[in-house]
Amino acid sequence: MKRTMMSLIGVAVALAAVSGVAAVAAPDGGAKEAPGSGTRLPVQRSALLCPAPTSSEVGETTYTAFAPKGAAAGADAKKGTAKLLPAGTVRDAGSGDDGKGGKKQDGKGGKGGKDSGADSTGQTVAPRDTKPVVPLQEAGKPVTVTTDRSDAPALVGTADGTLAPGWTVQQTTSVAAGSGRGLLGLSCTTPDTTFWFPGVSTATDRQDYVHLTNPDSTPAVVDLELHGKDGSLTGSAGEDISVPPHTTVPVLLSTLTTSPTTNAALHVVAREGRVGAAVQASDTKLGSDWLPAAADPAPSVVLPGIPKDATSVRLVAIAPGESDADLKVQLATPTGLITPAGLESLHLKSGMTTAVDLKDITKGEAGSLVLTPSDGGSKAPVAAALRVTRGKGDKQEMAFIPATRPVEKRATAADNRDQGSTLSLVAPEKGKDAKVTVTASAGSGGGTPVSKTYTVKGGTSLDIAPPRPQGLKGGYALTVEPESGSGPVYAARMLARPQGGVPAFTVQPLPDDRGSVVVPTAGQDLSVLTD
């Protein structure tokens, strides 16, 4: 009897908890899912992390924050906060960085340990100020701020209430000269416990830093694993890197191995806590840009947004599981899917990177790369990224395109100007067209939103000059929303800003913003009362 009563009490408490959350969280008009599947509701809290942008004395960074209007409706539609706060900095876990872009003469590589990453005094460097950066007051209108500080800190922030669903912050840095020259763009990341970065390098012509940022009030402990064409790189020394609370730690990847490798893959694993992670890559000839984490490994991946004037494209892929992967390689063009000459299939060995130079694969037509399991081949998960180059000779610039998640409900590109933006949409499955509504928000200084609908035929890629707000003043945001029932669609945005003859550019994949979740529907189940 006691056991039955205790079971009944436990079930009643669980039902009350689930029902209570649904009732409190649900705004008026919450989207209903299929019967029995629950109700889709806006998230009530979100977090973003922006790494330190640059140490260059000739760099300028613009932050743009945006939350889509109408993402959360109801009586509390005007409530909500969204802001970023400066984070502390640990001056490199064993990379020899002096915190100002230089190198210490006694820098020794590697193993962080519990005390790793402190400066010469053994202390974390606190931010110079604690003022909020790009705080939002309302949805539907972006907020921008620009800084030319060479010591601009990493940022840690949260949004809640009606500003939480779809909250997006873009960090765009222009560096006029030096080894890090170019245009660097990054959509600030959400914290997680694991990340894959195919396409990193520890070769002498590259300096790749992974920036680890801890948003929480407890320390995080991170392992960094590097993989090359022969598997795990020997001499790896990236274990037990401590990331203090509300602090960022930059780590130079070449200090983690004794084997310089051009086409490597980095696996970031937080064993304790969670972090945000992004790689800043700087090439002596090709400029610099951010490499965002690739989508979680999957049997099929899509890499959207290869520019039509790309002069060189390199694919780096890895099968991180225990099985090899055999892939069909296709390019989604404006007219359909094609197979690159001489690359009908691609074999990936487990735990080893494979690099393929696709050269000028687009041949003057913008496209997106689609990797799917070969017929009859293994469906092992893979992670992949592209390094894309525009220009020739000493006027070249590089950017990265990692595999990305599909846009299920909505995606956002926060930083767009009067000119220079190109939106890429790809529907990778034949016969499954995607119908997409693209909305240009009001400008940060004024303007009226404009929406336009596009149809992307299944198996094709579509590049467009996105709609522009009427009476635009300042920067604006783009939201991409597939219509219900249309085929799967992937998106990316290229931002181009030439610098003294160099075709400087950056590409941001636009994954789904995960601004809503399905809350299960609670119901009575009297079967728990029976023995």
Side-chain angles (χ1 to χ4, degrees):
M1 179 63 180
K2 287 184 178 180
R3 182 177 302 170
T4 302
M5 287 301 295
M6 289 300 293
S7 299
L8 178 58
I9 292 171
V11 171
V13 170
L15 288 172
V18 174
S19 301
V21 169
V24 171
D28 295 340
K32 301 293 183 180
E33 298 292 313
S37 65
T39 303
R40 181 169 290 276
L41 302 173
V43 299
Q44 295 184 341
R45 186 176 178 86
S46 55
L48 289 177
L49 308 168
C50 307
T54 181
S55 59
S56 173
E57 298 289 344
V58 291
E60 183 178 85
T61 299
T62 297
Y63 297 96
T64 305
F66 178 76
K69 193 172 184 178
D76 295 331
K78 293 183 179 180
K79 296 181 180 180
T81 61
K83 61 183 178 181
L84 294 157
L85 296 173
T89 302
V90 170
R91 290 191 173 168
D92 212 329
S95 73
D97 182 29
D98 64 5
K100 297 180 181 179
K103 298 291 175 290
K104 298 176 183 176
Q105 296 301 316
D106 61 348
K108 297 179 182 179
K111 190 167 182 177
K114 295 299 180 181
D115 297 323
S116 83
D119 67 4
S120 58
T121 65
Q123 300 295 320
T124 298
V125 180
R128 194 167 73 180
D129 60 56
T130 57
K131 294 180 180 179
V133 178
V134 287
L136 276 181
Q137 302 297 328
E138 60 179 308
K141 181 180 179 180
V143 174
T144 65
V145 66
T146 298
T147 179
D148 59 2
R149 285 175 50 183
S150 61
D151 63 344
L155 304 175
V156 177
T158 58
D160 57 26
T162 55
L163 295 178
W167 181 47
T168 303
V169 179
Q170 166 83 12
Q171 168 179 303
T172 307
T173 303
S174 178
V175 179
S179 59
R181 64 108 176 105
L183 189 66
L184 299 85
L186 181 71
S187 292
C188 296
T189 61
T190 56
D192 208 336
T193 57
T194 183
F195 306 84
W196 277 99
F197 296 93
V200 300
S201 175
T202 62
T204 56
D205 60 350
R206 280 266 292 270
Q207 280 198 342
D208 286 16
Y209 280 86
V210 60
H211 291 245
L212 308 171
T213 307
N214 181 359
D216 298 320
S217 56
T218 56
V221 179
V222 177
D223 289 342
L224 304 178
E225 306 166 358
L226 283 169
H227 298 259
K229 61 183 180 63
D230 297 318
S232 180
L233 294 179
T234 59
S236 180
E239 298 179 353
D240 297 328
I241 295 176
S242 179
V243 186
H246 308 299
T247 300
T248 191
V249 176
V251 182
L252 181 61
L253 297 186
S254 60
T255 65
L256 303 181
T257 178
T258 57
S259 304
T261 302
T262 299
N263 304 303
L266 171 67
H267 190 200
V268 177
V269 180
R271 290 190 290 107
E272 297 179 19
R274 57 179 188 159
V275 294
V279 172
Q280 189 179 61
S282 179
D283 189 282
T284 55
K285 295 182 179 179
L286 303 177
S288 60
D289 205 351
W290 289 99
L291 169 58
D296 291 340
S300 298
V301 296
V302 176
L303 302 93
I306 306 174
K308 63 181 180 181
D309 60 351
T311 52
S312 175
V313 178
R314 177 186 294 169
L315 167 68
V316 179
I318 184 171
E322 297 181 355
S323 302
D324 295 356
D326 291 291
L327 299 173
K328 181 189 300 183
V329 181
Q330 294 178 296
L331 181 71
T333 73
T335 56
L337 292 166
I338 64 171
T339 300
L343 194 61
E344 289 76 15
S345 63
L346 182 64
H347 180 72
L348 305 181
K349 293 183 179 179
S350 171
M352 304 179 186
T353 60
T354 296
V356 180
D357 280 321
L358 303 174
K359 301 179 181 180
D360 56 341
I361 185 174
T362 55
K363 304 294 183 182
E365 288 188 326
S368 301
L369 202 65
V370 180
L371 307 179
T372 55
S374 298
D375 296 337
S378 168
K379 293 187 178 180
V382 300
L386 298 172
R387 190 201 69 185
V388 178
T389 304
R390 297 172 70 217
K392 296 181 179 180
D394 61 353
K395 301 292 186 181
Q396 295 184 75
E397 166 78 338
M398 70 175 184
F400 296 93
I401 303 175
T404 188
R405 302 191 307 269
V407 183
E408 297 176 357
K409 296 295 181 180
R410 183 188 58 234
T412 301
D415 183 10
N416 299 277
R417 311 294 173 84
D418 188 24
Q419 295 180 344
S421 293
T422 301
L423 181 64
S424 298
L425 304 170
V426 56
E429 298 185 21
K430 287 184 178 180
K432 293 186 178 181
D433 297 354
K435 198 169 184 180
V436 178
T437 298
V438 179
T439 300
S441 75
S444 57
T448 304
V450 173
S451 295
K452 190 173 181 179
T453 300
Y454 302 87
T455 298
V456 188
K457 294 184 177 181
T460 71
S461 186
L462 175 66
D463 263 29
I464 59 172
R468 178 177 173 274
Q470 295 179 356
L472 171 65
K473 293 181 180 179
Y476 68 100
L478 290 170
T479 55
V480 178
E481 298 177 276
E483 289 195 2
S484 178
S486 68
V489 63
Y490 297 73
R493 188 279 314 271
M494 183 179 80
L495 194 61
R497 295 180 192 164
Q499 298 177 351
V502 176
F505 75 114
T506 181
V507 179
Q508 280 71 59
L510 305 181
D512 190 88
D513 63 19
R514 294 178 174 172
S516 61
V517 293
V518 175
V519 178
T521 301
Q524 294 182 351
D525 183 0
L526 299 182
S527 64
V528 298
L529 302 179
T530 62
D531 291 332

